[in-house]
Amino acid sequence: MQAWQEDHLSILEQSHDEDHLFLGLTAIAQGLGFDYCAYGLRSRLPLCRPRTVLFNNYPVRWQARYQDQDYLSVDPTIEHGMHSLAPTIWPDALGGKAAAFWEDARSFGLRVGWAQSSRDARGTVGMLTLARSGEPLSDTELREKRLKMCWLVHTAHLGMSQLLVTRLLPQADARLSRQEVKVLRWTAEGKTAGDVSDIMGISERAVNFHIHNAMLKLGATNKTAAAVRAALLGII
């Protein structure tokens, strides 16, 4: 297992962009016995329309079908991955959900798959899916490959998030001062500038100064939005 990890990690570490990294992930997936590989990354912000990036080597017609039918909004693997870090096998474990979706997927040769999500400290969610058109995953195969597949999930997310997150969310790398963090924490608790002034023993003007600076660094239009962004990004 260690030798396998080291061999494949060296390949992934040489990836200079997300497309090259995905090609490496696809090659590893095929080495594990899967025809297809898919990776998706979703940021926590904006709250109403989180940014999502998708990569896959699925049949081109299925990619078009998936987009045309807006399957992203009903895909049971994505719903599962947003609420659980446990791996799942489809369609068996999720067969009762979106039956029409699974039937459509099978018609394009996507008969069996394994998926698992991963999260980082900034709240970004990534999910790796390995799929094929052939035999179902047996218990024996799962026992033999589970550790490798789980390692690939976390390695993929680490690599993709390093390449993509700051581009999707420039504020993810915001560096707030200690005072700015403290002020935003109390703001997130519902405290007014006057309350924070009393609690921290600084002037109300200083409180507003720190809030203003935090808003600029986080790209927020008001202190509530700044506190929400900082909390979701793991800054406070």
Side-chain angles (χ1 to χ4, degrees):
M1 176 67 182
Q2 184 175 354
W4 182 88
Q5 288 176 323
E6 291 174 353
D7 288 344
H8 291 89
L9 185 60
S10 64
I11 296 173
L12 299 179
E13 286 179 336
Q14 294 170 11
S15 301
H16 48 79
D17 59 39
E18 58 271 23
D19 293 321
H20 192 257
L21 175 57
F22 181 70
L23 286 176
L25 294 173
T26 301
I28 296 172
Q30 290 172 345
L32 288 170
F34 295 92
D35 305 316
Y36 306 111
C37 176
Y39 176 83
L41 182 144
R42 176 174 291 181
S43 66
R44 295 291 300 274
L45 296 169
L47 280 172
C48 293
R49 292 185 178 180
R51 294 186 175 94
T52 302
V53 181
L54 301 173
F55 302 87
N56 68 76
N57 69 333
Y58 292 145
V60 174
R61 290 178 58 244
W62 170 245
Q63 294 182 41
R65 176 73 172 174
Y66 193 94
Q67 183 173 355
D68 291 344
Q69 297 297 312
D70 190 25
Y71 278 153
L72 184 66
S73 64
V74 299
D75 190 332
T77 60
I78 294 178
E79 180 184 355
H80 173 85
M82 292 301 296
H83 297 94
S84 173
L85 298 182
T88 185
I89 300 172
W90 55 261
D92 296 346
L94 304 170
K97 299 181 179 180
F101 169 81
W102 293 122
E103 183 178 353
D104 208 3
R106 283 193 293 270
S107 72
F108 286 88
L110 301 173
R111 301 186 182 282
V112 62
W114 180 96
Q116 185 176 10
S117 61
S118 180
R119 298 174 186 267
D120 58 32
R122 292 176 290 195
T124 303
V125 181
M127 190 170 75
L128 183 72
T129 300
L130 308 177
R132 65 191 183 201
S133 56
E135 294 297 317
L137 280 163
S138 67
D139 291 340
T140 300
E141 184 179 6
L142 280 174
R143 284 195 298 270
E144 292 175 349
K145 298 178 179 178
R146 185 184 297 275
L147 289 179
K148 293 179 179 179
M149 294 191 301
C150 289
W151 175 86
L152 192 60
V153 168
H154 298 294
T155 303
H157 187 53
L158 176 63
M160 285 294 190
S161 61
Q162 288 176 341
L163 290 168
L164 293 171
V165 170
T166 53
R167 194 184 316 164
L168 294 174
L169 289 173
Q171 59 268 41
D173 277 347
R175 295 291 181 265
L176 271 59
S177 71
R178 189 173 301 176
Q179 289 292 78
E180 289 163 0
V181 169
K182 288 181 179 179
V183 166
L184 282 188
R185 282 176 177 164
W186 285 116
T187 300
E189 293 287 348
K191 303 298 183 182
T192 66
D195 295 332
V196 178
S197 171
D198 293 337
I199 293 169
M200 294 181 60
I202 59 177
S203 69
E204 189 169 336
R205 182 178 179 181
V207 171
N208 288 325
F209 172 79
H210 293 311
I211 288 176
H212 178 72
N213 284 344
M215 286 168 53
L216 290 176
K217 292 177 181 179
L218 292 166
T221 56
N222 56 55
K223 66 179 184 180
T224 300
V228 170
R229 290 189 178 192
L232 289 177
L233 293 172
I235 296 173
I236 63 173

